[in-house]
mmCIF file of all heavy atoms in Angstrom:
data_model
loop_
_atom_site.group_PDB
_atom_site.id
_atom_site.type_symbol
_atom_site.label_atom_id
_atom_site.label_comp_id
_atom_site.label_asym_id
_atom_site.label_seq_id
_atom_site.Cartn_x
_atom_site.Cartn_y
_atom_site.Cartn_z
ATOM 1 N N LEU A 156 -34.951 -13.229 10.152
ATOM 2 C CA LEU A 156 -33.691 -13.458 9.485
ATOM 3 C C LEU A 156 -33.782 -14.738 8.648
ATOM 4 O O LEU A 156 -34.469 -15.686 8.976
ATOM 5 C CB LEU A 156 -32.533 -13.567 10.496
ATOM 6 C CG LEU A 156 -32.312 -12.423 11.406
ATOM 7 C CD1 LEU A 156 -31.100 -12.715 12.303
ATOM 8 C CD2 LEU A 156 -32.006 -11.135 10.620
ATOM 9 N N SER A 157 -33.045 -14.745 7.545
ATOM 10 C CA SER A 157 -32.900 -15.883 6.738
ATOM 11 C C SER A 157 -31.941 -16.867 7.476
ATOM 12 O O SER A 157 -31.188 -16.494 8.406
ATOM 13 C CB SER A 157 -32.385 -15.580 5.354
ATOM 14 O OG SER A 157 -30.985 -15.103 5.473
ATOM 15 N N LYS A 158 -31.963 -18.119 7.040
ATOM 16 C CA LYS A 158 -31.031 -19.104 7.609
ATOM 17 C C LYS A 158 -29.580 -18.697 7.438
ATOM 18 O O LYS A 158 -28.751 -18.857 8.340
ATOM 19 C CB LYS A 158 -31.240 -20.457 6.917
ATOM 20 C CG LYS A 158 -32.552 -21.121 7.213
ATOM 21 C CD LYS A 158 -32.662 -21.633 8.672
ATOM 22 C CE LYS A 158 -33.898 -22.446 8.939
ATOM 23 N NZ LYS A 158 -34.006 -22.915 10.317
ATOM 24 N N ARG A 159 -29.255 -18.101 6.268
ATOM 25 C CA ARG A 159 -27.907 -17.666 6.040
ATOM 26 C C ARG A 159 -27.480 -16.512 7.038
ATOM 27 O O ARG A 159 -26.424 -16.522 7.591
ATOM 28 C CB ARG A 159 -27.772 -17.129 4.642
ATOM 29 C CG ARG A 159 -26.430 -16.707 4.214
ATOM 30 C CD ARG A 159 -26.384 -16.134 2.801
ATOM 31 N NE ARG A 159 -25.047 -15.762 2.421
ATOM 32 C CZ ARG A 159 -24.189 -16.491 1.830
ATOM 33 N NH1 ARG A 159 -24.449 -17.806 1.555
ATOM 34 N NH2 ARG A 159 -22.971 -16.063 1.517
ATOM 35 N N GLU A 160 -28.465 -15.573 7.227
ATOM 36 C CA GLU A 160 -28.136 -14.494 8.203
ATOM 37 C C GLU A 160 -28.016 -14.978 9.611
ATOM 38 O O GLU A 160 -27.153 -14.467 10.375
ATOM 39 C CB GLU A 160 -29.336 -13.452 8.097
ATOM 40 C CG GLU A 160 -29.305 -12.696 6.786
ATOM 41 C CD GLU A 160 -30.605 -11.789 6.645
ATOM 42 O OE1 GLU A 160 -31.640 -12.196 7.183
ATOM 43 O OE2 GLU A 160 -30.496 -10.742 6.027
ATOM 44 N N ILE A 161 -28.817 -16.019 9.994
ATOM 45 C CA ILE A 161 -28.632 -16.566 11.312
ATOM 46 C C ILE A 161 -27.292 -17.182 11.532
ATOM 47 O O ILE A 161 -26.628 -16.960 12.537
ATOM 48 C CB ILE A 161 -29.801 -17.634 11.561
ATOM 49 C CG1 ILE A 161 -31.175 -16.900 11.666
ATOM 50 C CG2 ILE A 161 -29.533 -18.410 12.848
ATOM 51 C CD1 ILE A 161 -32.334 -17.884 11.645
ATOM 52 N N LEU A 162 -26.872 -17.935 10.506
ATOM 53 C CA LEU A 162 -25.518 -18.559 10.607
ATOM 54 C C LEU A 162 -24.398 -17.476 10.675
ATOM 55 O O LEU A 162 -23.479 -17.578 11.438
ATOM 56 C CB LEU A 162 -25.286 -19.423 9.360
ATOM 57 C CG LEU A 162 -25.599 -20.899 9.501
ATOM 58 C CD1 LEU A 162 -25.377 -21.618 8.201
ATOM 59 C CD2 LEU A 162 -24.828 -21.575 10.640
ATOM 60 N N GLU A 163 -24.530 -16.444 9.886
ATOM 61 C CA GLU A 163 -23.566 -15.397 9.854
ATOM 62 C C GLU A 163 -23.473 -14.686 11.240
ATOM 63 O O GLU A 163 -22.343 -14.374 11.716
ATOM 64 C CB GLU A 163 -23.811 -14.361 8.751
ATOM 65 C CG GLU A 163 -23.512 -15.045 7.380
ATOM 66 C CD GLU A 163 -23.778 -13.995 6.244
ATOM 67 O OE1 GLU A 163 -24.557 -13.052 6.426
ATOM 68 O OE2 GLU A 163 -23.203 -14.255 5.132
ATOM 69 N N ARG A 164 -24.652 -14.434 11.824
ATOM 70 C CA ARG A 164 -24.612 -13.770 13.163
ATOM 71 C C ARG A 164 -24.002 -14.721 14.183
ATOM 72 O O ARG A 164 -23.269 -14.285 15.068
ATOM 73 C CB ARG A 164 -26.033 -13.363 13.539
ATOM 74 C CG ARG A 164 -26.595 -12.204 12.738
ATOM 75 C CD ARG A 164 -27.307 -11.244 13.587
ATOM 76 N NE ARG A 164 -27.790 -10.092 12.808
ATOM 77 C CZ ARG A 164 -28.300 -9.040 13.349
ATOM 78 N NH1 ARG A 164 -28.409 -8.913 14.650
ATOM 79 N NH2 ARG A 164 -28.763 -8.052 12.582
ATOM 80 N N TYR A 165 -24.343 -15.991 14.108
ATOM 81 C CA TYR A 165 -23.755 -16.964 15.031
ATOM 82 C C TYR A 165 -22.273 -16.991 14.928
ATOM 83 O O TYR A 165 -21.535 -16.961 15.906
ATOM 84 C CB TYR A 165 -24.401 -18.351 14.837
ATOM 85 C CG TYR A 165 -23.735 -19.397 15.686
ATOM 86 C CD1 TYR A 165 -24.123 -19.541 17.034
ATOM 87 C CD2 TYR A 165 -22.697 -20.163 15.178
ATOM 88 C CE1 TYR A 165 -23.458 -20.529 17.791
ATOM 89 C CE2 TYR A 165 -22.071 -21.142 15.985
ATOM 90 C CZ TYR A 165 -22.473 -21.308 17.250
ATOM 91 O OH TYR A 165 -21.801 -22.248 18.053
ATOM 92 N N LEU A 166 -21.789 -17.093 13.673
ATOM 93 C CA LEU A 166 -20.339 -17.172 13.414
ATOM 94 C C LEU A 166 -19.642 -15.915 13.794
ATOM 95 O O LEU A 166 -18.384 -15.939 14.028
ATOM 96 C CB LEU A 166 -20.124 -17.505 11.924
ATOM 97 C CG LEU A 166 -20.600 -18.890 11.510
ATOM 98 C CD1 LEU A 166 -20.416 -19.024 9.979
ATOM 99 C CD2 LEU A 166 -19.808 -19.964 12.215
ATOM 100 N N THR A 167 -20.299 -14.793 13.884
ATOM 101 C CA THR A 167 -19.700 -13.551 14.305
ATOM 102 C C THR A 167 -19.644 -13.445 15.884
ATOM 103 O O THR A 167 -18.674 -12.867 16.415
ATOM 104 C CB THR A 167 -20.456 -12.365 13.772
ATOM 105 O OG1 THR A 167 -20.453 -12.402 12.343
ATOM 106 C CG2 THR A 167 -19.893 -11.015 14.222
ATOM 107 N N LEU A 168 -20.619 -14.034 16.558
ATOM 108 C CA LEU A 168 -20.720 -13.810 18.027
ATOM 109 C C LEU A 168 -20.310 -15.028 18.868
ATOM 110 O O LEU A 168 -20.141 -14.918 20.114
ATOM 111 C CB LEU A 168 -22.256 -13.541 18.346
ATOM 112 C CG LEU A 168 -22.747 -12.197 17.812
ATOM 113 C CD1 LEU A 168 -24.261 -12.053 18.027
ATOM 114 C CD2 LEU A 168 -22.031 -10.996 18.452
ATOM 115 N N ALA A 169 -20.164 -16.204 18.313
ATOM 116 C CA ALA A 169 -19.861 -17.414 19.048
ATOM 117 C C ALA A 169 -18.590 -17.206 19.854
ATOM 118 O O ALA A 169 -17.604 -16.708 19.390
ATOM 119 C CB ALA A 169 -19.761 -18.615 18.146
ATOM 120 N N PRO A 170 -18.603 -17.609 21.157
ATOM 121 C CA PRO A 170 -17.410 -17.457 22.059
ATOM 122 C C PRO A 170 -16.348 -18.465 21.764
ATOM 123 O O PRO A 170 -16.681 -19.674 21.558
ATOM 124 C CB PRO A 170 -17.957 -17.519 23.419
ATOM 125 C CG PRO A 170 -19.148 -18.484 23.271
ATOM 126 C CD PRO A 170 -19.726 -18.196 21.946
ATOM 127 N N TYR A 171 -15.101 -18.059 21.768
ATOM 128 C CA TYR A 171 -14.000 -18.976 21.499
ATOM 129 C C TYR A 171 -12.891 -18.915 22.541
ATOM 130 O O TYR A 171 -11.781 -19.362 22.320
ATOM 131 C CB TYR A 171 -13.449 -18.737 20.095
ATOM 132 C CG TYR A 171 -14.279 -19.393 19.020
ATOM 133 C CD1 TYR A 171 -15.276 -18.649 18.421
ATOM 134 C CD2 TYR A 171 -14.068 -20.695 18.619
ATOM 135 C CE1 TYR A 171 -16.079 -19.239 17.415
ATOM 136 C CE2 TYR A 171 -14.814 -21.291 17.624
ATOM 137 C CZ TYR A 171 -15.856 -20.521 17.025
ATOM 138 O OH TYR A 171 -16.632 -21.122 16.061
ATOM 139 N N GLY A 172 -13.171 -18.314 23.647
ATOM 140 C CA GLY A 172 -12.205 -18.296 24.759
ATOM 141 C C GLY A 172 -11.580 -16.915 24.853
ATOM 142 O O GLY A 172 -11.241 -16.249 23.883
ATOM 143 N N GLY A 173 -11.476 -16.446 26.120
ATOM 144 C CA GLY A 173 -10.939 -15.134 26.366
ATOM 145 C C GLY A 173 -11.801 -14.058 25.771
ATOM 146 O O GLY A 173 -13.032 -14.044 25.843
ATOM 147 N N ASN A 174 -11.132 -13.126 25.056
ATOM 148 C CA ASN A 174 -11.944 -12.043 24.366
ATOM 149 C C ASN A 174 -12.077 -12.273 22.876
ATOM 150 O O ASN A 174 -12.197 -11.379 22.098
ATOM 151 C CB ASN A 174 -11.237 -10.708 24.665
ATOM 152 C CG ASN A 174 -9.831 -10.586 24.073
ATOM 153 O OD1 ASN A 174 -9.273 -11.578 23.687
ATOM 154 N ND2 ASN A 174 -9.307 -9.348 23.987
ATOM 155 N N LEU A 175 -12.040 -13.576 22.486
ATOM 156 C CA LEU A 175 -12.195 -13.962 21.107
ATOM 157 C C LEU A 175 -13.666 -14.277 20.898
ATOM 158 O O LEU A 175 -14.214 -15.176 21.569
ATOM 159 C CB LEU A 175 -11.344 -15.136 20.744
ATOM 160 C CG LEU A 175 -9.853 -14.971 20.801
ATOM 161 C CD1 LEU A 175 -9.122 -16.266 20.461
ATOM 162 C CD2 LEU A 175 -9.337 -13.894 19.841
ATOM 163 N N GLU A 176 -14.286 -13.615 19.908
ATOM 164 C CA GLU A 176 -15.629 -13.901 19.541
ATOM 165 C C GLU A 176 -15.691 -14.011 18.062
ATOM 166 O O GLU A 176 -15.185 -13.194 17.324
ATOM 167 C CB GLU A 176 -16.623 -12.813 20.063
ATOM 168 C CG GLU A 176 -16.826 -12.881 21.565
ATOM 169 C CD GLU A 176 -18.040 -12.044 22.005
ATOM 170 O OE1 GLU A 176 -18.548 -11.321 21.148
ATOM 171 O OE2 GLU A 176 -18.283 -12.059 23.205
ATOM 172 N N GLY A 177 -16.379 -15.087 17.561
ATOM 173 C CA GLY A 177 -16.545 -15.217 16.178
ATOM 174 C C GLY A 177 -15.459 -16.199 15.604
ATOM 175 O O GLY A 177 -14.297 -16.219 16.071
ATOM 176 N N VAL A 178 -15.788 -16.881 14.541
ATOM 177 C CA VAL A 178 -14.941 -17.839 13.994
ATOM 178 C C VAL A 178 -13.681 -17.217 13.303
ATOM 179 O O VAL A 178 -12.616 -17.806 13.293
ATOM 180 C CB VAL A 178 -15.625 -18.764 13.022
ATOM 181 C CG1 VAL A 178 -16.067 -18.054 11.755
ATOM 182 C CG2 VAL A 178 -14.834 -20.032 12.669
ATOM 183 N N ARG A 179 -13.823 -16.046 12.745
ATOM 184 C CA ARG A 179 -12.676 -15.430 12.095
ATOM 185 C C ARG A 179 -11.549 -15.050 13.106
ATOM 186 O O ARG A 179 -10.377 -15.329 12.944
ATOM 187 C CB ARG A 179 -13.046 -14.130 11.314
ATOM 188 C CG ARG A 179 -13.814 -14.422 10.030
ATOM 189 C CD ARG A 179 -14.123 -13.170 9.325
ATOM 190 N NE ARG A 179 -12.880 -12.502 8.901
ATOM 191 C CZ ARG A 179 -12.733 -11.177 8.722
ATOM 192 N NH1 ARG A 179 -13.773 -10.355 8.956
ATOM 193 N NH2 ARG A 179 -11.585 -10.685 8.374
ATOM 194 N N ALA A 180 -12.008 -14.380 14.225
ATOM 195 C CA ALA A 180 -11.003 -14.058 15.252
ATOM 196 C C ALA A 180 -10.383 -15.277 15.805
ATOM 197 O O ALA A 180 -9.163 -15.331 16.035
ATOM 198 C CB ALA A 180 -11.720 -13.267 16.400
ATOM 199 N N ALA A 181 -11.137 -16.384 16.019
ATOM 200 C CA ALA A 181 -10.602 -17.626 16.572
ATOM 201 C C ALA A 181 -9.590 -18.252 15.609
ATOM 202 O O ALA A 181 -8.526 -18.723 16.002
ATOM 203 C CB ALA A 181 -11.756 -18.593 16.905
ATOM 204 N N SER A 182 -9.973 -18.323 14.338
ATOM 205 C CA SER A 182 -9.061 -18.982 13.306
ATOM 206 C C SER A 182 -7.769 -18.175 13.206
ATOM 207 O O SER A 182 -6.656 -18.738 13.127
ATOM 208 C CB SER A 182 -9.783 -18.980 11.992
ATOM 209 O OG SER A 182 -8.957 -19.639 11.035
ATOM 210 N N LEU A 183 -7.848 -16.822 13.276
ATOM 211 C CA LEU A 183 -6.630 -15.999 13.164
ATOM 212 C C LEU A 183 -5.746 -16.172 14.399
ATOM 213 O O LEU A 183 -4.519 -16.266 14.358
ATOM 214 C CB LEU A 183 -6.979 -14.567 12.973
ATOM 215 C CG LEU A 183 -7.549 -14.170 11.568
ATOM 216 C CD1 LEU A 183 -8.239 -12.781 11.656
ATOM 217 C CD2 LEU A 183 -6.441 -14.142 10.567
ATOM 218 N N ALA A 184 -6.433 -16.262 15.609
ATOM 219 C CA ALA A 184 -5.651 -16.328 16.846
ATOM 220 C C ALA A 184 -5.102 -17.768 17.058
ATOM 221 O O ALA A 184 -3.931 -17.896 17.562
ATOM 222 C CB ALA A 184 -6.602 -16.036 18.024
ATOM 223 N N TYR A 185 -5.779 -18.826 16.697
ATOM 224 C CA TYR A 185 -5.296 -20.187 17.006
ATOM 225 C C TYR A 185 -4.511 -20.817 15.837
ATOM 226 O O TYR A 185 -3.656 -21.647 16.003
ATOM 227 C CB TYR A 185 -6.464 -21.051 17.352
ATOM 228 C CG TYR A 185 -7.119 -20.693 18.718
ATOM 229 C CD1 TYR A 185 -8.484 -20.608 18.764
ATOM 230 C CD2 TYR A 185 -6.380 -20.373 19.774
ATOM 231 C CE1 TYR A 185 -9.131 -20.221 19.949
ATOM 232 C CE2 TYR A 185 -6.992 -19.997 20.999
ATOM 233 C CZ TYR A 185 -8.343 -19.896 21.101
ATOM 234 O OH TYR A 185 -8.938 -19.511 22.257
ATOM 235 N N PHE A 186 -4.836 -20.347 14.569
ATOM 236 C CA PHE A 186 -4.214 -20.956 13.411
ATOM 237 C C PHE A 186 -3.398 -19.989 12.583
ATOM 238 O O PHE A 186 -2.658 -20.383 11.646
ATOM 239 C CB PHE A 186 -5.265 -21.646 12.512
ATOM 240 C CG PHE A 186 -6.145 -22.585 13.223
ATOM 241 C CD1 PHE A 186 -7.530 -22.528 12.925
ATOM 242 C CD2 PHE A 186 -5.713 -23.484 14.182
ATOM 243 C CE1 PHE A 186 -8.420 -23.341 13.575
ATOM 244 C CE2 PHE A 186 -6.582 -24.292 14.826
ATOM 245 C CZ PHE A 186 -7.935 -24.251 14.548
ATOM 246 N N GLY A 187 -3.560 -18.700 12.827
ATOM 247 C CA GLY A 187 -2.831 -17.652 12.089
ATOM 248 C C GLY A 187 -3.333 -17.524 10.671
ATOM 249 O O GLY A 187 -2.539 -17.110 9.779
ATOM 250 N N LYS A 188 -4.582 -17.779 10.411
ATOM 251 C CA LYS A 188 -5.162 -17.647 9.076
ATOM 252 C C LYS A 188 -6.612 -17.426 9.117
ATOM 253 O O LYS A 188 -7.288 -17.687 10.128
ATOM 254 C CB LYS A 188 -4.824 -18.889 8.227
ATOM 255 C CG LYS A 188 -5.510 -20.160 8.691
ATOM 256 C CD LYS A 188 -5.152 -21.325 7.773
ATOM 257 C CE LYS A 188 -5.862 -22.619 8.205
ATOM 258 N NZ LYS A 188 -5.465 -23.788 7.364
ATOM 259 N N GLU A 189 -7.150 -16.891 8.047
ATOM 260 C CA GLU A 189 -8.619 -16.711 7.909
ATOM 261 C C GLU A 189 -9.266 -18.116 7.790
ATOM 262 O O GLU A 189 -8.653 -19.062 7.313
ATOM 263 C CB GLU A 189 -8.899 -15.915 6.701
ATOM 264 C CG GLU A 189 -8.549 -14.435 6.768
ATOM 265 C CD GLU A 189 -9.498 -13.547 7.502
ATOM 266 O OE1 GLU A 189 -10.550 -14.058 7.942
ATOM 267 O OE2 GLU A 189 -9.236 -12.277 7.629
ATOM 268 N N PRO A 190 -10.526 -18.247 8.175
ATOM 269 C CA PRO A 190 -11.210 -19.550 8.141
ATOM 270 C C PRO A 190 -11.687 -19.979 6.781
ATOM 271 O O PRO A 190 -12.633 -20.760 6.700
ATOM 272 C CB PRO A 190 -12.350 -19.389 9.136
ATOM 273 C CG PRO A 190 -12.724 -17.912 9.016
ATOM 274 C CD PRO A 190 -11.375 -17.197 8.764
ATOM 275 N N LYS A 191 -11.149 -19.416 5.727
ATOM 276 C CA LYS A 191 -11.622 -19.778 4.361
ATOM 277 C C LYS A 191 -11.192 -21.180 3.972
ATOM 278 O O LYS A 191 -11.930 -21.919 3.294
ATOM 279 C CB LYS A 191 -11.086 -18.786 3.394
ATOM 280 C CG LYS A 191 -11.586 -18.974 1.922
ATOM 281 C CD LYS A 191 -13.080 -18.753 1.822
ATOM 282 C CE LYS A 191 -13.562 -18.880 0.400
ATOM 283 N NZ LYS A 191 -14.987 -18.777 0.251
#
Side-chain angles (χ1 to χ4, degrees):
L156 301 179
S157 68
K158 292 289 188 180
R159 183 183 181 90
E160 290 172 328
I161 291 170
L162 267 179
E163 288 180 337
R164 290 222 178 189
Y165 174 82
L166 293 174
T167 300
L168 294 172
Y171 281 90
N174 63 346
L175 296 176
E176 288 191 355
V178 69
R179 286 185 62 209
S182 184
L183 288 165
Y185 294 134
F186 310 136
K188 64 180 182 181
E189 293 276 0
K191 183 65 176 175

